[in-house]
Amino acid sequence: MNAKGEIERFKARLVAKEYKQKDGIDYDEVFAPVVRMESIKLLISHATHLGWPIYQMDVKSAFLHGVLEEDVYLKQPPDFMKVEQERKVLRLKKALYGLKQAPRAWNTRIDSYFKKDGVEQCPYEHALYVKKTEGNILLVALYVDDLILLGNDEGMIQDFKKKMTKEFEMTDLGLMRYFLGLEIRQDKSGIFVSQEAYAKDILKFWFKMIDCNPVSTPMEPGLKLSKYDGGERVDPGNYRSLVGCLRYLTCTRPDLCLSVGIISRFMEDPSYTHWKATKRILRYDQGTISQRLHYSKSDKYKLVGYSDSDWCGDVDDRKSTTGYVFFMGNPAFMWVSKKEPIVTLSTCEAEYVAASWSVCHAMWLRNLLSKLEQEQVDPTEIRVDNKSAIELAKNPVNHERVSILMSGFISSGIKLRKERWSSLMLQAEIKWVTYLRSRCQRCC
């Protein structure tokens, strides 16, 4: 299918029965690294700032290029058996679609070719490759069999395309227009990124809500959802399907990130209240379906982050929700909203957790930008709206409200710290109940 949902071409393949494979016998490693979605948006922002076009290529039958390391045997396909040798089996030399290790074999094959051609793998993004020659730079992002190319030298890009076409059977798709469900339009004003066709498919074909009444907000103001609301249970399969669709829609819609993160907490046993909140997000999407990200050139192309957190927002376990967003110039290219793994005792502590997470992510982004020749010389500014958390970050003293938290972040065993924190909270609750019971006995 193309970006409009129309049939572009037909494919037919011979596929192996992977469910008959046994771990450790005919396969070991199965996963292949792919480029992160935030890295793709960072490359789009980078190309917009420097005025580079972004090209796209596709490998035809990519998995068939992978070389197998294990001995894999398969039966002869029906109607394609060799006469008088029907009892014999086939031994595979290269990967076949359906094999568990096929993605890994293909990734190993193209990774070895890149390194042989002088293309270096980025240590901070393993699916991003960089080639530098005589002051020119070429960036290649790999997502299984899809490649995006950008650089400052057109001749270098065309030479790379010729080499790839000679080594593999490739399809040159020209300027990037449709990549991983993202609709991309490149013009002189910048690059527009949206998922309009994907959002319409969710509303029209999957959940039949294309004619619903739009709303102005994705979630009712002040709404608190709980696992134990006592409402009527709904089909968890449909609920998970809808939440999964909405989660992928947040790749270009940061305004949906918080509300989708909240409804994702009830996929195990959803109720009608949760289903109603989820359908409200679809109604909000109906009214904002044409919204898109516009990456434009900026005079201040600098990494800036924003961090925020609520306090005890979850009514079930009293955990806080953390959110942070990063900008390079005008557009945001990365955003996160998720629940914290610990229970915080103050807004200062909750904001400090959010700030620490954003700082960790900022360090990774600074390292990645240095490989893109956009090294951040000045310190990266993380903007926090809590004065206590800012002062604590400047002067990390040992305080009773954050001592366990700070030692937990310094230590590598965050799970152990979380368990210790829960036991301390339980002990404090027992002491408080004992004290209240003694007071009541005195009064009575």
Side-chain angles (χ1 to χ4, degrees):
M1 302 289 186
N2 55 20
K4 297 180 180 179
E6 301 170 347
I7 296 177
E8 192 173 75
R9 60 183 181 273
F10 294 94
K11 291 183 179 180
R13 293 192 182 101
L14 180 66
V15 181
K17 298 178 180 179
E18 65 174 8
Y19 58 85
K20 292 192 175 183
Q21 291 184 263
K22 296 182 179 179
D23 185 13
I25 297 178
D26 46 15
Y27 77 92
D28 292 312
E29 294 183 336
V30 298
F31 296 107
V34 295
V35 65
R36 302 185 187 186
M37 188 62 70
E38 57 196 57
S39 300
I40 294 174
K41 289 180 285 187
L42 178 60
L43 291 177
I44 294 175
S45 175
H46 184 63
T48 305
H49 176 68
L50 298 176
W52 297 350
I54 306 177
Y55 299 96
Q56 182 179 357
M57 298 187 73
D58 178 70
V59 186
K60 294 182 179 179
S61 302
F63 288 176
L64 303 183
H65 295 282
V67 180
L68 292 178
E69 298 179 356
E70 305 87 357
D71 292 331
V72 179
Y73 301 91
L74 72 158
K75 296 180 180 179
Q76 299 183 50
D79 301 327
F80 291 92
M81 294 183 179
K82 197 168 183 179
V83 181
E84 297 181 357
Q85 297 183 5
E86 293 82 356
R87 295 177 60 87
K88 293 186 177 181
V89 296
L90 303 176
R91 180 178 181 271
L92 286 180
K93 296 182 179 179
K94 292 189 176 182
L96 192 68
Y97 278 85
L99 293 178
K100 290 183 179 295
Q101 68 267 40
R104 185 72 178 187
W106 156 245
N107 183 265
T108 304
R109 172 74 173 85
I110 194 171
D111 179 74
S112 60
Y113 171 75
F114 280 160
K115 293 178 179 178
K116 182 181 178 181
D117 192 45
V119 186
E120 298 180 0
Q121 187 181 35
C122 179
Y124 309 108
E125 177 63 273
H126 290 173
L128 178 64
Y129 295 85
V130 183
K131 185 175 183 179
K132 299 179 182 179
T133 55
E134 300 178 355
N136 297 325
I137 184 172
L138 172 67
L139 304 176
V140 182
L142 177 65
Y143 196 100
V144 189
D145 59 345
D146 293 316
L147 291 84
I148 58 175
L149 318 171
L150 61 152
N152 59 352
D153 184 36
E154 188 68 23
M156 190 176 182
I157 295 176
Q158 296 302 324
D159 181 63
F160 179 82
K161 287 183 177 181
K162 290 180 181 179
K163 291 181 178 179
M164 288 292 295
T165 305
K166 186 177 180 180
E167 183 70 18
F168 309 101
E169 191 175 358
M170 306 286 296
T171 302
D172 188 357
L173 302 176
L175 290 176
M176 184 170 64
R177 294 184 178 88
Y178 190 70
F179 186 76
L180 302 179
L182 306 182
E183 302 170 46
I184 299 162
R185 180 167 62 88
Q186 306 180 47
D187 55 27
K188 295 181 180 179
S189 64
I191 298 179
F192 294 87
V193 182
S194 68
Q195 291 175 287
E196 185 174 351
Y198 178 70
K200 286 182 178 179
D201 288 342
I202 296 175
L203 291 169
K204 185 175 182 180
F205 299 109
W206 298 347
F207 298 99
K208 312 297 181 183
M209 290 184 60
I210 192 64
D211 297 324
C212 64
N213 296 325
V215 293
S216 58
T217 58
M219 184 169 286
E220 296 179 11
L223 177 64
K224 296 292 184 180
L225 299 177
S226 173
K227 296 180 180 179
Y228 315 106
D229 58 1
E232 181 183 356
R233 302 293 104 175
V234 298
D235 183 11
N238 292 336
Y239 186 84
R240 293 167 190 162
S241 177
L242 178 52
V243 171
C245 295
L246 292 175
R247 288 207 70 88
Y248 193 72
L249 194 59
T250 59
C251 293
T252 57
R253 297 292 300 275
D255 51 338
L256 301 178
C257 200
L258 174 62
S259 54
V260 173
I262 292 176
I263 63 173
S264 301
R265 303 171 186 173
F266 312 103
M267 291 194 291
E268 182 179 355
D269 188 22
S271 67
Y272 180 76
T273 305
H274 308 143
W275 179 253
K276 184 178 178 181
T278 306
K279 293 181 70 174
R280 182 183 173 89
I281 300 178
L282 288 179
R283 294 174 59 194
Y284 172 77
D285 181 43
Q286 167 70 2
T288 58
I289 199 168
S290 61
Q291 288 188 0
R292 60 191 64 191
L293 296 174
H294 181 210
Y295 291 88
S296 59
K297 191 172 183 179
S298 174
D299 297 332
K300 297 180 180 180
Y301 195 66
K302 184 179 178 181
L303 181 64
V304 179
Y306 293 82
S307 170
D308 199 6
S309 175
D310 68 352
W311 182 44
C312 301
D314 194 302
V315 298
D316 295 325
D317 53 18
R318 308 310 296 171
K319 293 180 180 179
S320 307
T321 301
T322 287
Y324 53 89
V325 60
F326 283 93
F327 289 78
M328 284 293 291
N330 293 329
F333 69 92
M334 185 268 151
W335 47 86
V336 168
S337 176
K338 59 182 179 181
K339 189 166 65 171
E340 296 177 359
I342 60 175
V343 179
T344 55
L345 296 182
S346 64
T347 56
C348 171
E349 188 177 348
E351 295 278 358
Y352 187 84
V353 173
S356 63
W357 285 4
S358 59
V359 167
C360 292
H361 209 85
M363 294 298 296
W364 174 75
L365 289 173
R366 285 174 62 90
N367 292 329
L368 181 59
L369 287 169
S370 65
K371 293 298 180 180
L372 304 181
E373 294 189 346
Q374 287 290 334
E375 186 173 358
Q376 302 295 298
V377 180
D378 298 330
T380 299
E381 187 177 6
I382 305 295
R383 300 181 180 179
V384 184
D385 63 350
N386 187 279
K387 188 175 181 180
S388 300
I390 296 173
E391 296 299 328
L392 180 63
K394 292 180 179 179
N395 184 24
V397 296
N398 187 11
H399 193 276
E400 61 178 2
R401 288 294 181 93
V402 293
S403 58
I404 298 177
L405 170 69
M406 293 174 63
S407 60
F409 273 105
I410 295 173
S411 170
S412 59
I414 188 68
K415 185 176 181 181
L416 297 177
R417 294 295 177 180
K418 179 182 177 182
E419 292 173 354
R420 180 187 174 191
W421 180 260
S422 301
S423 63
L424 290 175
M425 290 291 292
L426 180 60
Q427 294 174 13
E429 184 177 355
I430 293 174
K431 291 180 180 179
W432 179 245
V433 171
T434 305
Y435 169 76
L436 288 178
R437 185 178 297 172
S438 64
R439 294 285 297 181
C440 290
Q441 290 176 354
R442 291 178 187 177
C443 296
C444 297

